[in-house]
Amino acid sequence: PGDFSDGTITINSVTVTGKTGFVSKWYDQSGNSFDLVQGTTNAQPKIVSSGTFNNKLIFDGTNDFMEFHSSGSIANLAYHTGVMLIERTQDAVEPVLGHSTSGDFPLFQNGSDLQSIGGSFGKIGIDGGTLGSGSVSGFTSGEHIIFLTTANTGNSPTNVNLFAKIVNSGTDFFGGVNARELVVYSTNKLDDRSALETNLNNHYSIF
């Protein structure tokens, strides 16, 4: 359970303009090419600010997001597990995971709660705390380790986004949330939750 080699995504595609660097691709290190991508320059998250390496992806909360472009990754939304280290920076209803054409699959922050709609996620947990179905509290400002398992919804959307979603009448919502790590497994790792979170926490000391 401590081996992240089959699902870790690491940043190594950076475009630097002046002293500021933006990420166009967050590479999947599993070898399956389930990368996160963003080809639009002004929608790319920042990794270098004024010559300083941020050690995280910074999303501006206005139009920055990245997309899982392959249907074989977490985009399938069928019995997957994700472990992610993100930093909440704004107090608003903002997405963590969303779908580019539907409001059925988002994972989003609402006050101090982390919530999902549409039945996409089986269980959600924050910083090793109690697992919730559809909602869990404790998503305050600062860095958090999020654990989630997806439920088999019978849908296989291919345009799942990190920190963006579209809901209702085409309204866009973008998350002002920063990202350090994202690990995705193709099976339900609920029984391995403690080991997965502990491994990540041992490196970053979040809780």
Side-chain angles (χ1 to χ4, degrees):
D3 182 7
F4 287 177
S5 61
D6 73 335
T8 305
I9 299 176
T10 303
I11 303 162
N12 56 3
S13 182
V14 179
T15 300
V16 178
T17 303
K19 293 184 177 181
T20 302
F22 299 89
V23 175
S24 59
K25 182 178 287 188
W26 198 354
Y27 284 98
D28 173 12
Q29 299 300 292
S30 70
N32 294 312
S33 299
F34 300 147
D35 308 320
L36 280 162
V37 296
Q38 180 50 264
T40 302
T41 301
N42 68 358
Q44 293 170 354
K46 187 188 300 183
I47 189 68
V48 179
S49 300
S50 301
T52 300
F53 178 59
N54 297 321
N55 198 28
K56 58 190 171 186
L57 290 183
I58 296 177
F59 294 75
D60 63 8
T62 301
N63 66 341
D64 290 357
F65 72 100
M66 301 197 81
E67 179 183 18
F68 288 97
H69 68 292
S70 171
S71 60
S73 69
I74 197 174
N76 251 340
L77 290 177
Y79 298 129
H80 283 76
T81 299
V83 185
M84 55 200 307
L85 172 58
I86 65 174
E87 179 183 17
R88 177 179 173 176
T89 61
Q90 300 180 16
D91 187 13
V93 177
E94 295 181 327
V96 175
L97 291 174
H99 188 260
S100 64
T101 58
S102 170
D104 292 338
F105 306 105
L107 179 69
F108 64 100
Q109 68 179 55
N110 184 11
S112 62
D113 293 340
L114 189 63
Q115 299 180 337
S116 69
I117 60 175
S120 303
F121 297 98
K123 295 290 183 180
I124 311 168
I126 301 174
D127 298 336
T130 303
L131 287 172
S133 298
S135 181
V136 62
S137 61
F139 196 53
T140 54
S141 295
E143 292 189 324
H144 297 281
I145 294 175
I146 294 174
F147 176 89
L148 61 94
T149 61
T150 62
N152 190 346
T153 64
N155 297 290
S156 298
T158 57
N159 298 320
V160 174
N161 298 325
L162 184 68
F163 304 148
K165 66 178 178 180
I166 297 178
V167 296
N168 296 326
S169 301
T171 303
D172 295 313
F173 290 89
F174 296 92
V177 183
N178 303 328
R180 285 181 183 264
E181 296 275 356
L182 174 58
V183 185
V184 178
Y185 294 91
S186 59
T187 56
N188 190 324
K189 296 282 189 178
L190 189 60
D191 291 342
D192 297 324
R193 181 202 178 192
S194 178
L196 295 173
E197 290 183 320
T198 297
N199 199 346
L200 198 57
N201 190 57
N202 284 343
H203 185 73
Y204 290 101
S205 299
I206 302 302
F207 60 88

